[in-house]
């Protein structure tokens, strides 16, 4: 029975693995980076809260975006323009269209012309949004529990 020869690539792979192992043990003397640390923590909080909102939203046939829109409009009895709503949600007005269409088709909101400027639309919440409005405290509790 012939012995198998070791190939050069097998030896190289082993050497590379050893090098990687050694590299992971390195440490560096860094200055304090409070802003970067804060950004990392905020990113983690954002991911946790986003997941919590999404879980509750999906359990009730909604999306996180729909819940955020309903929450903002519930705080604005006279409604908001798309520009105002987009600014409150830190998104572009064009990004709202699909979600507003879905909420409007479910009878939860209405777009109406702004008096004196027919090009602008005021977005107002309707009573059909009550199930999602009533869900907001549960969303808040889920977010709180995720932290």
């Amino acid at each position: 029975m012939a012995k198998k020869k070791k190939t050069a690539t097998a030896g190289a792979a082993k050497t590379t693995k050893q090098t990687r192992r050694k590299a992971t043990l390195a440490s560096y003397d860094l200055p304090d980076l409070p802003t970067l640390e804060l950004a990392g923590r905020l990113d983690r909080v954002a991911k946790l809260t986003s997941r919590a909102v999404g879980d509750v939203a999906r359990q009730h046939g909604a999306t996180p975006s729909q819940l955020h829109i309903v929450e903002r409009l519930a705080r604005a009895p006279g409604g908001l323009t798309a520009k105002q709503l987009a600014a409150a949600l830190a998104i572009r007005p064009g990004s709202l269209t699909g979600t507003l269409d879905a909420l409007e088709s479910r009878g939860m909101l209405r777009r109406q012309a702004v008096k004196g400027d027919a090009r602008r639309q005021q977005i107002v919440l309707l009573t059909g949004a009550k199930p999602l409005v009533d869900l907001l405290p549960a969303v808040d509790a889920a977010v709180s529990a995720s932290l």
Side-chain angles (χ1 to χ4, degrees):
M1 191 180 222
K3 289 185 179 179
K4 292 184 180 180
K5 291 183 180 179
K6 289 186 180 178
T7 62
T9 56
K14 187 173 183 180
T15 304
T16 303
K17 286 181 184 177
Q18 290 172 344
T19 304
R20 278 191 214 136
R21 231 180 269 134
K22 288 180 184 176
T24 59
L25 299 177
S27 65
Y28 301 94
D29 186 26
L30 292 173
D32 285 339
L33 302 168
T35 306
L36 184 59
E37 286 181 36
L38 177 61
R41 289 173 193 227
L42 289 173
D43 182 54
R44 176 84 173 128
V45 168
K47 288 175 182 170
L48 290 171
T49 58
S50 180
R51 185 178 306 135
V53 171
D55 290 346
V56 175
R58 281 185 290 282
Q59 290 170 7
H60 293 86
T63 66
S65 296
Q66 290 172 345
L67 288 178
H68 291 299
I69 288 170
V70 166
E71 185 268 332
R72 291 297 174 162
L73 290 173
R75 297 180 185 280
L80 298 168
T81 64
K83 185 177 180 178
Q84 292 169 326
L85 184 56
L89 298 171
I91 60 173
R92 293 186 177 132
S95 300
L96 288 171
T97 305
T99 306
L100 293 177
D101 289 346
L103 289 169
E104 192 169 29
S105 71
R106 293 173 63 185
M108 296 188 177
L109 62 80
R110 178 176 58 225
R111 299 174 215 183
Q112 55 194 33
V114 172
K115 291 181 182 179
D117 189 352
R119 295 171 299 159
R120 291 178 53 210
Q121 293 182 330
Q122 194 78 357
I123 304 160
V124 294
L125 208 55
L126 301 175
T127 56
K130 186 163 177 18
L132 289 187
V133 172
D134 291 344
L135 183 61
L136 293 173
V139 173
D140 185 70
V143 168
S144 181
S146 73
L147 299 177

